[in-house]
Amino acid sequence: MKLEVNGVNREVRSEPLTPLLDVLREELDVTSPKAGCHAGGCGACTVMVDGKPRRSCLIPVAAVDGASITTVEGLGTPKDPSAVQQSFIHHYAAQCGFCTPGMVVAATAYIDGGGSDDKDEIAKAISGHVCRCTGYTKILDAIAAATKQTEFDITIIAPDPTTVTIGGSE
Amino acid sequence: MAKHRGKGISAIEYPTGMNQNGDPSQAWIKVKPDGRVDVFSGTADIGNGAKTIQSQIVAEAIGVPYDWVTFDNSNTDSSPVCTGTFASRATFVGGNAVLKAAKEVKLKLLEAAGKEMEISPEDLEINDGEVSVKGSPSEKMGVDEVAGAAAYGHGVLITGTGAQLKPYSEITNSATGEVDSPPHSAISYAACAVEVEVDDETGEVLVLEMTQCYDVGRAINPALVEGQIQGGAMMGLGLGVLENSYPYYPSVDHRGAQYNSYMIPSPLDMPKVKTIIIENPSADGPYGAKGIGEMANNSQPPAIASAVQDAVGIWVTEIPITPEAVLKALEAKNAGDDSVRRDGKLVSFDEELSVNTVASGLSWSA
Ligand code: FES
Ligand code: FES
């Protein structure tokens, strides 16, 4: 079998019924998709299959023979991050980062599909993704900001937290 | 059959770090000949931002730009001991360790600069990567030049070490449990206010709005601490109404058999979340910081329970407040049975201790 993974043609030797997630992580050493539940419930394994977000834990690799797979590494690099990636960084939208690869792929698909900056819409779009750390607020902020730009604009900054100072601090 | 709204509020206090039983964090720092600063500390970063915050503390304390600092916590061979990231201790205990190490580095840098500039180190200061003469800022040299001179000219390695340890407390009065050192470090205070909607037919509790207000001492990194509070809020919501690892404890019946059947809040469970950070500096934290990691999810469940009481007049004294628990309590209430109401554990509040740490007049100096 063959897969095009992040623009590179790869030969696959795993058993045909091996989940795509395991092929990526174990055989091809593409480790950004995370194995959270391995049962379709958490979204951490989400990758693009021919441009559409899919849970790689649920797909036998034989079913996507010849497909083009994009993981979060394929969307941008640390030196040249995509707008969504940059927006996640800028809004502090990751803590432990376990959900982040799936969230970024889902957010990219949402924006590519013409999604708006409406937070309720965004919450719906990522509702199949769970995050234990962030409480989602900063993820929604990041995605909303990224809908407005293809190039990340540093002038659209995160809102300042409400801070009240009492007592002498200096 | 109707939906009822209710509001509830809770207030909590929480100490920072492990107290009374010895809990070290240690760090060492070296300065490379180009002035760049390498920090070795054992604090693991599990997403709480320990690396960022400790690097900020080091940059601030030495007086160099943040991006001159690298932070290595990669293994226990190169990094000194740190008991870990738990008990809200990474900023407070780990932060104090790197702060002490950074202060030592600063002294050595000033000493080396004094030699180079032929001036007493006391008359020098470091700001933004430059050592300059106090009151005469144009007489200066870069920290990189100083570090280079130390390495290639003076034959000196500029390093610093720091260790933070809350000492073991002996119990001095077994009747009262009194100990010989202050039992708690940097107590934080927080409150949470929520509004819920309770469906008296299905028993479902919907959290509509949740405002948390946390006294963080000093917000060394406001965006990170805000993220921690927001994350804690949603965990607290999960603990309050959703997450049940053993619904019929001690029986294992209906325990979530896998990851998917343990319900944590999804983006669709989000209420309106509001965060207020209070800076009420501690006397002994780095730059007045306190730790709030653990308490961030503790204030929501009692506020939710109290809001449920406000909405439908029942006290559910166990969390999570599931539809089942609500319906049972409503049934009991309608049958005139109020035995479901159980008093919680009585917690004694040490006023003197708490008042002492409310830092109205306290100041922290670096
Ligand atoms: S690992 Fe695929 S959805 Fe959880
Ligand atoms: S950042 Fe930890 S799970 Fe989302």
Side-chain angles (χ1 to χ4, degrees):
Chain A
M1 289 171 290
K2 283 191 172 56
L3 289 176
E4 187 197 306
V5 181
N6 297 327
V8 180
N9 289 316
R10 307 287 299 259
E11 199 64 52
V12 174
R13 294 201 171 75
S14 296
E15 295 286 332
L17 292 183
T18 312
L20 173 61
L21 173 63
D22 296 1
V23 171
L24 290 169
R25 290 183 57 87
E26 310 294 334
E27 184 184 338
L28 303 179
D29 206 21
V30 178
T31 54
S32 75
K34 301 294 177 223
C37 60
H38 234 294
C42 72
C45 65
T46 305
V47 301
M48 302 265 201
V49 177
D50 291 329
K52 299 219 168 55
R54 293 282 179 264
R55 312 217 144 182
S56 62
C57 67
L58 294 180
I59 305 174
V61 64
V64 291
D65 187 7
S68 142
I69 310 292
T70 310
T71 67
V72 78
E73 293 102 328
L75 297 174
T77 61
K79 280 220 172 91
D80 185 23
S82 72
V84 175
Q85 289 170 329
Q86 185 61 265
S87 192
F88 266 61
I89 296 168
H90 194 68
H91 286 83
Y92 288 69
Q95 287 185 32
C96 81
F98 199 87
C99 69
T100 313
M103 289 281 189
V104 170
V105 170
T108 304
Y110 170 75
I111 293 171
D112 288 352
S116 78
D117 65 345
D118 182 294
K119 299 262 173 88
D120 291 333
E121 287 304 313
I122 299 172
K124 261 186 229 156
I126 61 162
S127 63
H129 294 250
V130 289
C131 172
R132 178 80 281 188
C133 308
T134 63
Y136 307 109
T137 302
K138 293 194 186 306
I139 294 177
L140 298 187
D141 290 347
I143 300 173
T147 58
K148 299 224 187 92
Q149 51 203 314
T150 42
E151 290 296 319
F152 184 75
D153 178 357
I154 196 81
T155 57
I156 301 177
I157 56 163
D160 271 340
T162 313
T163 305
V164 183
T165 304
I166 59 174
S169 58
E170 227 45 82
Chain B
M1 298 297 150
K3 293 183 176 176
H4 309 266
R5 290 209 173 181
K7 291 179 182 170
I9 187 164
S10 72
I12 60 172
E13 60 159 13
Y14 221 85
T16 302
M18 294 280 283
N19 290 287
Q20 301 178 48
N21 59 352
D23 179 27
S25 274
Q26 305 181 341
W28 78 279
I29 298 177
K30 70 179 172 70
V31 180
K32 288 194 283 241
D34 63 356
R36 297 324 192 244
V37 178
D38 297 333
V39 185
F40 297 84
S41 143
T43 313
D45 191 337
I46 57 171
N48 51 336
K51 281 174 113 167
T52 309
I53 281 169
Q54 293 190 15
S55 301
Q56 281 181 262
I57 291 173
V58 168
E60 178 79 23
I62 299 179
V64 295
Y66 171 79
D67 57 10
W68 285 21
V69 180
T70 60
F71 188 96
D72 185 349
N73 58 357
S74 58
N75 68 76
T76 48
D77 290 336
S78 57
S79 296
V81 74
C82 168
T83 43
T85 294
F86 61 94
S88 317
R89 66 189 296 291
T91 297
F92 183 83
V93 188
N96 267 331
V98 294
L99 177 61
K100 287 178 183 172
K103 284 181 177 172
E104 196 180 317
V105 163
K106 182 177 188 175
L107 285 181
K108 290 187 185 168
L109 277 171
L110 289 175
E111 212 172 286
K115 250 193 210 172
E116 283 298 297
M117 297 165 81
E118 295 176 348
I119 186 171
S120 158
E122 280 96 79
D123 297 330
L124 295 171
E125 59 187 6
I126 311 181
N127 291 305
D128 212 19
E130 282 178 343
V131 187
S132 59
V133 178
K134 282 180 194 164
S136 170
S138 57
E139 284 177 73
K140 62 183 181 192
M141 78 189 272
V143 167
D144 48 350
E145 294 169 88
V146 176
Y152 299 113
H154 315 165
V156 167
L157 168 63
I158 294 180
T159 67
T161 62
Q164 176 74 9
L165 177 70
K166 176 94 184 191
Y168 196 95
S169 303
E170 293 292 346
I171 294 177
T172 51
N173 181 338
S174 56
T176 62
E178 193 176 325
V179 289
D180 64 353
S181 62
H184 296 310
S185 303
I187 294 179
S188 301
Y189 304 88
C192 173
V194 303
E195 182 167 12
V196 301
E197 185 177 88
V198 183
D199 184 324
D200 65 10
E201 186 170 9
T202 64
E204 216 168 333
V205 176
L206 195 67
V207 181
L208 302 171
E209 197 169 332
M210 203 157 55
T211 299
Q212 26 279 309
C213 178
Y214 274 77
D215 157 19
V216 306
R218 166 73 82 95
I220 290 184
N221 188 315
L224 279 175
V225 82
E226 187 189 47
Q228 207 161 44
I229 297 169
Q230 290 164 339
M234 286 303 279
M235 274 195 208
L237 184 147
L239 294 173
V241 298
L242 293 172
E243 297 177 34
N244 212 349
S245 42
Y246 289 88
Y248 300 103
Y249 184 82
S251 156
V252 298
D253 290 349
H254 302 282
R255 164 178 83 105
Q258 44 164 303
Y259 192 99
N260 274 349
S261 42
Y262 181 83
M263 293 281 290
I264 81 166
S266 92
L268 295 182
D269 296 310
M270 282 180 79
K272 238 167 108 191
V273 180
K274 202 176 149 206
T275 308
I276 300 165
I277 295 169
I278 303 231
E279 291 197 311
N280 171 29
S282 69
D284 45 3
Y287 297 102
K290 300 174 179 178
I292 58 120
E294 212 173 279
M295 75 192 292
N297 66 5
N298 282 202
S299 63
Q300 297 79 16
I304 293 170
S306 159
V308 169
Q309 197 277 339
D310 185 39
V312 289
I314 53 165
W315 282 106
V316 182
T317 53
E318 259 161 40
I319 54 169
I321 303 170
T322 57
E324 185 181 353
V326 170
L327 291 180
K328 267 191 189 159
L330 278 174
E331 230 166 68
K333 183 190 160 211
N334 294 338
D337 171 10
D338 61 0
S339 63
V340 181
R341 167 77 166 111
R342 234 183 28 209
D343 281 325
K345 202 170 65 177
L346 209 70
V347 180
S348 63
F349 177 71
D350 186 332
E351 199 181 330
E352 202 189 335
L353 183 72
S354 294
V355 169
N356 276 341
T357 45
V358 175
S360 36
L362 262 185
S363 63
W364 195 92
S365 59

